[in-house]
Amino acid sequence: MTHELKTGGDRGYLRIATEEAFATQQQFDAIMRLIKEGRADKGTQSLWGFYGTSPSERTTFIRERLLDLGELRIQAMDDTGIDKAVLAMTSPGTQTLFDVEEAREIARDGNDQLKAACEKYPDRFYGMAAVAPIDPEWSAGELRRAKEELGFHGVQINSHTHGHYLDEPQFDPILRACADLDLPLYIHPQGLPDDMIGDMVGVGLDGAIFGFAVEVSYHAMRLLTTGVFDRYPNLQLMLGHGCEGLPHMLYRLDYMHKAGLRSGRYPRLKPLQHDLFHYFRNNVLATNSGLPFGPAIKTMIEVMGEDRVMYAMDYPYQYVPDEVRWMDDLEIPFEQKKKFFQTNAERWFKL
Ligand code: 1DF
Ligand code: MN
């Protein structure tokens, strides 16, 4: 151990964790009911069939911690020197559900519960809204309520909704609401759609280990290459897990995108106003959730700029106090570290 972890800024910065998960009992029960009835997709069966029932130490800890928006969470933050947490309803939110009414009710109730927790711990907890993308118009209205009545700071969408992606026209009300309300759109993983998951469950690679990044990076590339950020130039897309690997590959993504355009290979790909580098430096924000890994953080800072990379712990899925010490000791300039831990989150979430 190199140093004690304390809240309050003893190292010259506050620590703000930006991808922190909670569940509601109603959400949990609805997902587990789908699984019991054999109606959940393969990705949900794999994830929540495991997290919902396994007696292992890891899953028991995660279940208990997800359902707590009180003292257990505050204690964990105190123990790891986390001053503030930006909280969102855990993956898959409502997005694996089929009943529209139930999805809306779980999102609305989750937002109310989160609002109550933020009021109880006003300098510790900050909210991102849950929505029900299966009903885009309702979701747009809920985003307005989240911003104007609940004082929330963003929205978390757990990637695809029954295999559908936010660049599809039916979801435009959600994108427009994010842009109009100036709410960052955090795209978080969930289980992969049935038509993508292949044999990933069979080989044990569908979850956070690998499949999540495949599917969310695909989602982000769809938004980027179909011109969402030309339609909404102020929209800010947040991606966790080291920006789901994309900055590492940005040269090739951009080169092949341009090559495809030049040769007219795909009718759906139309020329954009800018190259992909531009969007990564103007519309994409990254967190290092799950990746307390210097090379990844430094690459993101180099590729996207020091104003666009933020800290996240991914509590309770990756609760490792030592990770905070490694990030404190990261070999980057102090000014960059302060942006990473504190001021970028304050700026982009408007805390
Ligand atoms: C896991 C990770 C599962 C994250 C999650 O939802 C999740 C995991 C079920 O470790 O299996 O949201 N995560 O955010 O990294
Ligand atoms: Mn997460």
Side-chain angles (χ1 to χ4, degrees):
M1 184 172 105
T2 56
H3 56 278
E4 234 187 297
L5 295 174
K6 294 186 197 145
T7 57
D10 65 324
R11 298 178 74 87
Y13 47 79
L14 300 178
R15 298 188 196 84
I16 305 176
T18 57
E19 189 199 300
E20 316 307 306
F22 77 97
T24 66
Q25 190 64 51
Q26 197 182 0
Q27 176 204 17
F28 185 82
D29 292 346
I31 293 169
M32 295 314 290
R33 177 157 29 83
L34 273 193
I35 290 174
K36 208 174 287 170
E37 292 169 355
R39 301 200 301 135
D41 63 16
K42 291 176 193 162
T44 304
Q45 274 170 38
S46 171
L47 276 170
W48 283 103
F50 174 65
Y51 281 104
T53 63
S54 161
S56 74
E57 197 181 324
R58 171 174 165 80
T59 48
T60 307
F61 176 89
I62 288 172
R63 275 197 301 276
E64 177 188 39
R65 298 300 177 124
L66 282 172
L67 290 168
D68 160 68
L69 278 172
E71 284 306 317
L72 272 179
R73 190 175 291 263
I74 293 290
Q75 188 63 52
M77 290 166 66
D78 288 344
D79 291 345
T80 45
I82 303 298
D83 294 279
K84 300 165 191 280
V86 182
L87 302 169
M89 183 185 280
T90 197
S91 172
T94 66
Q95 286 166 252
T96 200
L97 306 176
F98 297 98
D99 183 320
V100 179
E101 181 67 39
E102 183 181 47
R104 287 192 296 238
E105 172 54 22
I106 287 172
R108 192 198 55 71
D109 170 70
N111 290 334
D112 288 344
Q113 290 193 39
L114 180 55
K115 166 67 173 169
C118 293
E119 279 181 347
K120 188 162 176 207
Y121 303 99
D123 55 344
R124 307 301 297 277
F125 290 171
Y126 297 83
M128 271 198 275
V131 291
I134 196 169
D135 186 342
E137 286 291 350
W138 179 86
S139 295
E142 184 65 359
L143 287 179
R144 184 163 295 282
R145 185 177 83 97
K147 169 92 180 201
E148 294 175 355
E149 292 175 34
L150 307 180
F152 283 1
H153 301 268
V155 54
Q156 176 167 305
I157 303 239
N158 298 286
S159 202
H160 73 93
T161 302
H162 298 302
H164 291 277
Y165 288 85
L166 290 173
D167 57 290
E168 296 176 42
Q170 68 270 26
F171 296 117
D172 189 61
I174 295 178
L175 298 182
R176 177 171 309 141
C178 289
D180 286 351
L181 297 165
D182 208 6
L183 282 172
L185 167 64
Y186 203 126
I187 298 192
H188 185 281
Q190 68 141 315
L192 275 55
D194 279 347
D195 61 8
M196 184 192 253
I197 200 162
D199 193 29
M200 282 197 212
V201 177
V203 298
L205 293 176
D206 58 306
I209 181 176
F210 178 74
F212 279 8
V214 172
E215 198 268 345
V216 178
S217 58
Y218 168 63
H219 197 162
M221 285 302 291
R222 287 183 62 137
L223 300 183
L224 286 156
T225 57
T226 56
V228 163
F229 300 101
D230 290 342
R231 271 161 49 215
Y232 300 110
N234 298 323
L235 180 62
Q236 296 296 328
L237 171 66
M238 293 182 171
L239 299 173
H241 317 105
C243 214
E244 308 295 357
L246 292 169
H248 184 69
M249 302 198 292
L250 184 53
Y251 178 88
R252 181 169 166 86
L253 298 170
D254 184 61
Y255 180 92
M256 287 300 173
H257 177 243
K258 285 177 182 145
L261 286 175
R262 271 199 307 276
S263 50
R265 180 168 176 183
Y266 300 103
R268 184 163 160 80
L269 292 189
K270 302 279 189 319
L272 301 178
Q273 288 177 15
H274 306 280
D275 67 8
L276 293 184
F277 280 88
H278 173 94
Y279 300 107
F280 273 86
R281 290 178 157 266
N282 290 274
N283 299 98
V284 183
L285 298 160
T287 80
N288 81 315
S289 50
L291 259 173
F293 184 45
I297 294 165
K298 290 175 189 174
T299 298
M300 290 193 286
I301 289 174
E302 186 170 349
V303 172
M304 304 171 70
E306 64 184 33
D307 294 335
R308 309 194 74 83
V309 184
M310 298 177 283
Y311 172 69
M313 175 177 274
D314 219 346
Y315 177 91
Y317 292 102
Q318 206 156 334
Y319 179 61
V320 183
D322 264 337
E323 293 184 351
V324 181
R325 292 195 186 91
W326 303 339
M327 297 300 88
D328 279 338
D329 293 338
L330 194 64
E331 286 166 356
I332 57 175
F334 173 79
E335 287 310 322
Q336 282 187 5
K337 202 174 290 173
K338 181 163 178 150
K339 286 183 174 189
F340 170 72
F341 265 120
Q342 177 183 349
T343 52
N344 286 345
E346 289 171 342
R347 172 180 173 184
W348 294 110
F349 285 104
K350 300 190 178 67
L351 302 187

